[in-house]
Amino acid sequence: MPGLRRASSIAVSGLVLALQAVPGFASGREGEQYVPVVQFIVVATLAALLVTIGGGIVSGAVRAQRTNASILKGGALGVLKGLGAFVVLAVVTTGVLTVASGLFIAYAFIVTRGVE
């Protein structure tokens, strides 16, 4: 049980530090325009992490309850599955955004070429 307390205190500390980073600030006028965008990215990423881990915990606990296993152990396995789902979600999102931005750049080149 002491290991679980230590791990949960580390997790809560990390969450508190991450939430303190949300109201980011810029050091000068030239960076002020990016603050809302960075805040949106940080909040969306934290929300995705919490949703995937929470879903993994619930899924693992329900599966453990159905098989008469320890719910705590099922929840712990659910945390690992939730982290794996978060990594997969991040990889897929990064790939989709990369392709979409490439298509947008190509579209912008085509449109501006006709304007000249």
Side-chain angles (χ1 to χ4, degrees), residues 25-109:
F25 60 91
S27 62
R29 286 196 170 271
E30 63 274 354
E32 290 177 1
Q33 62 190 358
Y34 299 115
V35 172
V37 176
V38 171
Q39 286 178 341
F40 175 75
I41 291 169
V42 169
V43 169
T45 304
L46 282 176
L49 178 65
L50 291 177
V51 166
T52 54
I53 290 179
I57 290 172
V58 170
S59 172
V62 168
R63 186 174 296 161
Q65 187 178 15
R66 286 183 185 164
T67 61
N68 292 329
S70 171
I71 294 178
L72 186 62
K73 191 180 231 182
L77 289 174
V79 168
L80 292 176
K81 288 184 180 181
L83 284 173
F86 176 74
V87 168
V88 169
L89 178 68
V91 167
V92 168
T93 304
T94 303
V96 167
L97 288 176
T98 301
V99 170
S101 63
L103 291 174
F104 177 74
I105 290 170
Y107 172 75
F109 280 145

Side-chain angles (χ1 to χ4, degrees), residues 5-21:
R5 286 186 188 156
R6 183 168 186 253
S8 63
S9 68
I10 289 171
V12 169
S13 300
L15 183 61
V16 168
L17 289 174
L19 289 176
Q20 287 177 353

